[in-house]
Amino acid sequence: MTYCVGITVNDGLIFASDSRTNAGVDQISAYSKMYRFFGDGERMFTMLTAGNLATSQAVVRQMRRDLDSGAATNLKTLPHLAEVADYIGSISLAAQRKHAGSKEEKFDAGASFIVGGQIAGKPPQIFLIYPEGNHIRATARTSYLQIGELKYGKPILDRIVEPKLDLETAARCAMVSMDSTLRSNITVGPPLELLIYRTDSLLPGEHIVFEEDDEYLRTLRGTWQEGLMKAFEQLPRLPSSAPQHPVRLVDAPGDQ
Amino acid sequence: MTYCVGITVNDGLIFASDSRTNAGVDQISAYSKMYRFFGDGERMFTMLTAGNLATSQAVVRQMRRDLDSGAATNLKTLPHLAEVADYIGSISLAAQRKHAGSKEEKFDAGASFIVGGQIAGKPPQIFLIYPEGNHIRATARTSYLQIGELKYGKPILDRIVEPKLDLETAARCAMVSMDSTLRSNITVGPPLELLIYRTDSLLPGEHIVFEEDDEYLRTLRGTWQEGLMKAFEQLPRLPSSAPQHPVRLVDAPGDQ
């Protein structure tokens, strides 16, 4: 599995991804799932991938070929980020269809993508591209998008993320969300990659790779665990015991 | 959906469940998913249900009929909790098979159960019964079991639950796990039910129902949110910015 998250705040964009891929529990490897494009003062894109690794690699390969060959439609020519999302969706669908109808019925070539960034003169945006090729955009009300093993890391995002967060805080929240996921699911693992993009910079942004034994990551984990324990200890105690009367032989709600 | 959790600690057992059921977003109702049996000094069982409501109601109905008719196998005669789990599993399978082969291919009659409690002279235990009818038991190493929408509420259990927790703390942790799930998933909703059972009491235990506007629940939520925010604010800041060099036109990892 995978866990990737993209956050949009007023100050810019945050991307975070893990690096574990597995095809069964005895075939685990580390692959980067963060692909960075440009940052040349004109446009900057970052793409995160989840799902079938062959499909996501095929998509990246095609994107590069289109760039190299100067195809009519490529990352350099598309005028809007939504069209970049469309473009990625259609390559993804084509890549998946190649392998449809294979023998294995349970085979799933599906892949999901988060793509975000900025094109000069336009606002920074983040899109989520579904395996079906269609996409949705993060907005001020729903200012983060996730792909892969997303549920473990969602509660902290729901509690913290809002458009007025500064970039460092939003990035820290993404790292905590990553850490909760790592802790609860062994198919998500380090190194973790983080990219912080400042609105209108049109630069590649700050790209940080955290290895498993990274000191910051270790401190973050320890401090967060301690803080959570302290928050938990400070919770109000449950209302004091009700008297324990035996219930009816079968005291269950609902009809008989 | 549903979220139910059972926790086993040295001092006893904790059961918690929400009450929302939905068949599509416009057919939402509140049903108790906690069924309590006995507590008569001889045996005490609590069952939590998730999945198809018709199946889980059919299972409870059959359990009651077997008790009322004095069937050879019933909740009163089974000597071990593992056999109670077997019994529930086989009733569940039979109930599901009745409706197999119905027209709707996507129809899922599956239901999961958590059943726990104690029989006089034996240790308290908790089992999870899968839709397939087989079951697993919570142990000292894996001292909680969940059914339904389980991922949102898992991280806090992973961080807090251990066998030496006192009953109140374990119950509080279950409530926080419930709250995280409620917050992130609208198909899980109040009232919340909590049952606290003390080892060897063989009484029904302390049963608390928290309505949506329950004062304790509101205080718990508020305090937890505040505590989390404080813990988050105290996290170490990310390492200071690396210089932003433009990357290659396409600076992406992996092969070409």
Side-chain angles (χ1 to χ4, degrees), chain B:
Chain B
M1 272 302 273
T2 290
Y3 176 48
C4 298
V5 57
I7 302 176
T8 163
V9 292
N10 299 335
D11 286 354
L13 307 173
I14 305 293
F15 301 88
S17 59
D18 83 309
S19 304
R20 191 160 291 176
T21 67
N22 68 310
V25 288
D26 53 359
Q27 204 177 337
I28 293 181
S29 345
Y31 277 93
S32 172
K33 298 164 191 172
M34 182 181 286
Y35 297 86
R36 299 175 296 134
F37 302 93
F38 314 118
D40 52 2
E42 283 300 317
R43 47 182 66 203
M44 176 275 179
F45 304 137
T46 298
M47 184 168 84
L48 309 174
T49 67
N52 188 292
L53 184 64
T55 300
S56 54
Q57 285 189 351
V59 168
V60 173
R61 211 155 35 224
Q62 186 62 47
M63 287 161 76
R64 283 188 185 141
R65 274 198 210 122
D66 288 349
L67 261 173
D68 291 345
S69 68
T73 299
N74 72 43
L75 285 181
K76 198 77 188 166
T77 59
L78 288 163
H80 296 281
L81 207 53
E83 291 169 61
V84 171
D86 266 342
Y87 165 66
I88 296 171
S90 59
I91 302 181
S92 165
L93 262 190
Q96 290 174 55
R97 278 185 187 138
K98 264 198 210 169
H99 306 284
S102 73
K103 272 188 288 184
E104 289 265 0
E105 239 190 65
K106 284 170 71 184
F107 170 74
D108 182 6
S112 309
F113 303 86
I114 288 176
V115 66
Q118 188 172 18
I119 295 174
K122 308 202 169 78
Q125 290 180 322
I126 295 186
F127 290 85
L128 188 163
I129 303 154
Y130 294 105
E132 292 75 13
N134 53 346
H135 55 78
I136 58 169
R137 183 166 73 82
T139 63
R141 266 178 204 280
T142 306
S143 45
Y144 67 86
L145 295 170
Q146 303 168 291
I147 51 177
E149 190 57 84
L150 51 89
K151 293 184 179 182
Y152 303 112
K154 188 171 182 286
I156 189 68
L157 297 171
D158 284 338
R159 290 181 197 270
I160 306 274
V161 173
E162 48 177 337
K164 68 179 171 58
L165 287 191
D166 65 66
L167 284 175
E168 193 277 333
T169 309
R172 202 164 3 117
C173 186
M175 294 310 289
V176 173
S177 173
M178 274 283 161
D179 181 50
S180 297
T181 310
L182 255 65
R183 226 191 130 89
S184 288
N185 189 308
I186 55 149
T187 69
V188 175
L192 304 181
E193 284 186 80
L194 178 67
L195 190 112
I196 305 176
Y197 172 76
R198 184 168 298 280
T199 300
D200 293 337
S201 72
L202 295 162
L203 294 175
E206 188 180 343
H207 178 233
I208 312 177
V209 178
F210 299 92
E211 299 293 338
E212 181 143 28
D213 58 351
D214 181 272
E215 201 188 312
Y216 174 75
L217 214 57
R218 233 177 21 233
T219 318
L220 184 83
R221 246 171 228 167
T223 321
W224 183 236
Q225 173 75 11
E226 268 170 44
L228 280 185
M229 299 297 276
K230 198 184 283 178
F232 184 78
E233 277 159 26
Q234 283 165 0
L235 290 178
R237 297 296 178 265
L238 278 161
S240 71
S241 303
Q244 295 201 358
H245 297 301
V247 289
R248 290 189 294 116
L249 183 69
V250 181
D251 181 22
D255 65 352
Q256 293 287 333

